[in-house]
Amino acid sequence: MSPLELLAIAVWVMLPAYVPNNAAVLAGGGRPIDGGRTLGDTRILGDGKTWRGTILGTLVGVALAYLLNLLRPTVVSFLGIGFPVFPLAVMIALPLGAMLGDIVASFLKRRMGRKRGAALPGLDQLDFAVVALALSAAVAPGWFLSVFTVGLLVVILVVTPILHVVTNVLAYLFGLKHEPW
Ligand code: CTP
Ligand code: MG
């Protein structure tokens, strides 16, 4: 498989995990998941993790996976690249895992004394991808092993931080986010 094909497949399979966090930025607000509660004297998660952002972000990711499944036959015959079909469990696991990964990262950041919006380079760029992949592997192990070769995983681990940085800087420049990370 050519490097370009590998890159295209990496982006295709990860799109349902990439988009939820961006959708949450647009949809966020309202009641925080932790309900304002603290652990010690710091918030459990903080105001940046809301029910609305999490639920709508996940739904947008599921809808995107569904759309990619619909478009797949046309795109495959047009480009000749073997994009995989998302089974239902994975259509949910990718976006839900992405949102959970981001929530776990906020939990860890608060425990480390970092305020809402503080950056944690490395974790910020990969948390969502790692948990999205882990949850997908847990709910659909056969599918996961048939799709994710070591090469594809390496491409994903390289491409994800780059895309994350680029989209967040753009969201910041367009005034959608308070911080460029
Ligand atoms: N958001 C949300 N619910 C989520 C994730 C994000 O409502 N589960 C919204 C919030 O409005 C949040 C914004 O998207 O402020 C940006 O997300 P993110 O950068 O993940 O949150 P931060 O505000 O930076 O907070 P944290 O330090 O906890 O990451
Ligand atoms: Mg943030």
Side-chain angles (χ1 to χ4, degrees):
M1 193 182 296
S2 76
L4 208 60
E5 279 179 68
L6 209 53
L7 179 65
I9 294 175
V11 173
W12 181 281
V13 286
M14 292 307 284
L15 262 181
Y18 289 157
V19 171
N21 290 290
N22 299 305
V25 173
L26 300 177
R31 192 176 153 76
I33 296 174
D34 66 10
R37 283 185 290 275
T38 55
L39 202 63
D41 47 11
T42 9
R43 286 284 295 277
I44 299 176
L45 299 173
D47 284 332
K49 304 295 116 140
T50 68
W51 286 109
R52 205 167 77 198
T54 308
I55 292 168
L56 288 174
T58 304
L59 289 179
V60 167
V62 175
L64 181 64
Y66 180 77
L67 184 71
L68 289 176
N69 274 350
L70 285 183
L71 294 175
R72 199 191 76 95
T74 316
V75 179
V76 167
S77 67
F78 194 70
L79 295 178
I81 299 176
F83 296 116
V85 181
F86 298 108
L88 180 62
V90 174
M91 288 169 60
I92 298 166
L94 282 173
L96 189 62
M99 296 267 66
L100 289 177
D102 180 56
I103 289 169
V104 169
S106 289
F107 179 81
L108 295 176
K109 285 197 269 186
R110 296 304 91 84
R111 304 290 74 69
M112 296 165 71
R114 294 182 191 231
K115 299 261 177 300
R116 172 193 178 179
L120 189 51
L123 194 65
D124 279 335
Q125 285 73 38
L126 281 173
D127 51 20
F128 60 98
V130 170
V131 179
L133 288 171
L135 199 59
S136 302
V139 297
W143 177 86
F144 189 87
L145 287 174
S146 71
V147 171
F148 291 93
T149 57
V150 173
L152 186 60
L153 285 172
V154 170
V155 171
I156 288 169
L157 291 183
V158 173
V159 167
T160 300
I162 298 172
L163 283 177
H164 187 268
V165 168
V166 171
T167 48
N168 282 293
V169 168
L170 285 177
Y172 173 73
L173 292 177
F174 283 109
L176 299 170
K177 272 197 80 153
H178 297 300
E179 305 89 14
W181 47 76

